[in-house]
Amino acid sequence: MSTSPPLTVESARMGSGAAGMLTVLCGAIFLEGVDAAMLNIALPSIRAELGLTTTMLSAVVSAYVLAYAGLMLLGGRVADMYGKRKVFLTALTVFLLFSGFGGFATEGWMLLAARFVTGAAAAFMTPAGLALINGNFPEGPQRNRAVLIYAGTASAGFSLGLVIGGLLSAIGWRWVFFAPVIFSAILLLAGMKLILEKKEDAAQRQKFDIAGAVTLTGAMLLAAYTLTRMEHAANDLTWTIAAAGASMVLWFAFALIERKSRAPLIRLGIFRSAVLVQSNLGAMLFTGAFFGFQFVVSLYLQELLGWSSFETSLALIVIGMDAILAPLLTPLLVERFGNGRVVLGGFAFAIAGYALFLGMGLDWTYAAMLPSMVLLGLAFSLGYGPLTIIATEGIAEDEQGLASGLVNTSFQFGAALGLSAVSAVGTLALGDGDSPSERLEALRTALMVPVGATLIGMVIMGFGRGRCADASCRLQAG
């Protein structure tokens, strides 16, 4: 049972300074979501002007994911060690500069470099932002509402990014890079004034675990590379296996280094928290299922029903309802039922949404798809924010960046894993078939991956629910 005080207008009300800081942090996570989604819509225009090969185009997309997922843990820990405000503002500056660099790209390597560095900047900015919220809002109703607003904004950024990307691409694909420059410049100026870090919570510079940082970064980058290559593993099996093996070796080396280090980059004892591990696994499966579903829906609408990319993005925008519901409805449900039960409700809605879409046909109208979109909007409203709260609640202040990095890494790795798994299953199911009915059946088979992943996630999050519905039962990780 949650130990938070009752949710009242006074207990959840934020001061003007806190609200201003939250606005900047939400703006940054919205920017990250929009930036990631917009590029996908602009890819055909980029290929047409720069003459990029399919391999280079895929690499441009993967570069961002690779850096973002591969450096997130390091980014979170660096925020703990060197100051969350400093890391956040520095990362936002780098994001601004290299997004602009991408807009001036004339060759593929320039886009590749721009996307990798902006992904790396986001990997430092995102956990620092969430850690700033956890460090500046008192645990309970205020923090819950702040995190839910933050999570809803992140989801809305991705949903709206699909539409914004379509509009900007119609003007010119370079605006997909220039628009974030303008927005991030405004956020940077506001952040320098509004973002505060309590003096007693400010990070103290300490000896940096260089060996741990090198092995962790290598292990994460290789793991992310393996996931982004899984769907092409049949054509590149040697490299995929080699990357996975090298990642495992580096993970083992990292664990040995951290056990012996006097100032470890990551204190391994944090993983003694059963709820932290449980919530991160849930986050990975929850996000992986959605990204896999989105991939299936995109192929279904565009390749089988003949919809345009813009029409497809509009079809998915209903899921963005969580931007409204998450800050308004979810805090009340969390206070009434606890984070754990609300998360289980989110998983249940997601399973229903994916299962309903299994009935897709060649003559389906949007009215037939709408119930799934609404159910998934409810799923994200109930699942995303409370999962984030569970994963970071009860963690010591000097490890908030690490906990934030962990859950965001889980979300990112889940996305990559979901996409790869759905793509691989769909390809195997299709075989040599190419007729519309055969392709439809292959997509139905691939859609079983999100259904199964969400069901497994629900079981994981429900395990020991009577004892661990909320982070108040978190095991001591000392």
Side-chain angles (χ1 to χ4, degrees):
M1 195 72 179
S2 174
T3 57
S4 302
L7 180 62
T8 65
V9 174
E10 289 300 322
S11 64
R13 180 175 294 165
M14 303 176 193
S16 58
M21 181 180 69
L22 181 61
T23 299
V24 174
L25 297 175
C26 284
I29 198 64
F30 180 82
L31 171 65
E32 189 280 318
V34 166
D35 184 75
M38 287 194 303
L39 182 68
N40 295 330
I41 300 296
L43 289 176
S45 300
I46 294 173
R47 184 211 288 269
E49 182 172 330
L50 300 185
L52 302 184
T53 64
T54 300
T55 301
M56 176 58 80
L57 207 63
S58 175
V60 167
V61 176
S62 298
Y64 185 91
V65 177
L66 187 66
Y68 194 17
L71 296 172
M72 186 83 71
L73 279 179
L74 180 62
R77 194 61 184 126
V78 167
D80 285 332
M81 295 172 66
Y82 292 93
K84 301 168 185 65
R85 180 181 185 274
K86 181 189 298 183
V87 169
F88 177 85
L89 294 177
T90 301
L92 181 58
T93 302
V94 174
F95 190 98
L96 182 159
L97 294 174
F98 277 84
S99 185
F101 178 71
F104 288 110
T106 55
E107 295 183 39
W109 71 265
M110 296 175 70
L111 277 179
L112 197 65
R115 293 305 291 169
F116 185 87
V117 177
T118 51
F124 283 75
M125 181 172 67
T126 301
L130 181 55
L132 279 166
I133 291 176
N134 288 331
N136 284 276
F137 289 86
E139 191 168 311
Q142 274 197 31
R143 183 184 295 180
N144 285 352
R145 183 173 292 277
V147 172
L148 291 171
I149 292 173
Y150 183 78
T153 305
S155 178
F158 187 82
S159 301
L160 294 176
L162 297 171
V163 180
I164 296 171
L167 294 173
L168 291 176
S169 295
I171 301 172
W173 67 264
R174 295 182 187 277
W175 278 100
V176 169
F177 291 88
F178 291 145
V181 171
I182 298 171
F183 191 42
S184 54
I186 295 171
L187 289 175
L188 183 60
L189 291 174
M192 292 173 68
K193 180 178 180 181
L194 295 174
I195 294 179
L196 303 174
E197 188 170 8
K198 297 177 182 177
K199 289 183 179 180
E200 63 269 23
D201 294 335
Q204 297 296 318
R205 187 181 180 94
Q206 55 183 283
K207 183 179 179 181
F208 197 74
D209 181 9
I210 299 296
V214 171
T215 51
L216 173 65
T217 301
M220 292 294 291
L221 287 173
L222 286 168
Y225 176 80
T226 301
L227 288 178
T228 60
R229 298 301 303 171
M230 274 183 61
E231 60 190 279
H232 308 293
N235 301 322
D236 199 11
L237 187 59
T238 301
W239 278 107
T240 304
I241 293 176
S247 177
M248 292 177 64
V249 170
L250 286 176
W251 274 118
F252 181 72
F254 174 72
L256 291 178
I257 290 170
E258 297 306 280
R259 285 177 65 88
K260 297 179 179 180
S261 176
R262 292 182 179 179
L265 187 69
I266 295 178
R267 185 178 60 83
L268 298 181
I270 195 172
F271 295 107
R272 295 175 192 159
S273 167
V275 178
L276 181 141
V277 174
Q278 188 179 29
S279 56
N280 274 272
L281 287 173
M284 185 179 297
L285 291 164
F286 188 77
T287 312
F290 175 70
F291 274 78
F293 169 79
Q294 185 188 57
F295 181 76
V296 169
V297 171
S298 181
L299 293 180
Y300 168 65
L301 294 179
Q302 296 184 61
E303 295 187 356
L304 290 182
L305 299 190
W307 291 26
S308 68
S309 58
F310 185 63
E311 288 171 330
T312 300
S313 64
L314 287 178
L316 293 168
I317 199 173
V318 176
I319 300 173
M321 68 167 68
D322 66 332
I324 298 173
L325 295 180
L328 297 178
L329 175 63
T330 309
L332 299 177
L333 295 176
V334 165
E335 187 60 29
R336 175 67 178 83
F337 300 105
N339 284 307
R341 293 184 179 86
V342 173
V343 164
L344 289 178
F347 273 91
F349 278 126
I351 292 171
Y354 300 140
L356 280 178
F357 216 87
L358 286 170
M360 58 184 167
L362 296 175
D363 58 350
W364 251 25
T365 63
Y366 186 64
M369 309 173 204
L370 188 58
S372 288
M373 304 302 175
V374 172
L375 285 169
L376 290 174
L378 291 171
F380 263 81
S381 299
L382 301 184
Y384 192 93
L387 269 172
T388 305
I389 293 172
I390 294 172
T392 57
E393 194 172 19
I395 298 295
E397 173 60 28
D398 63 356
E399 291 187 323
Q400 276 294 326
L402 171 59
S404 301
L406 280 169
V407 69
N408 280 292
T409 298
S410 296
F411 283 132
Q412 290 300 315
F413 268 71
L417 184 59
L419 284 169
S420 295
V422 163
S423 178
V425 170
T427 300
L428 288 173
L430 182 60
D432 296 326
D434 196 38
S435 68
S437 59
E438 289 173 317
R439 290 159 68 189
L440 178 63
E441 192 57 38
L443 289 178
R444 283 202 187 106
T445 302
L447 191 55
M448 291 302 298
V449 174
V451 174
T454 313
L455 185 58
I456 294 171
M458 188 174 185
V459 171
I460 289 174
M461 292 306 298
F463 181 75
R465 183 170 61 87
R467 293 176 293 104
C468 292
D470 292 287
S472 58
C473 72
R474 185 179 302 280
L475 296 180
Q476 294 300 316

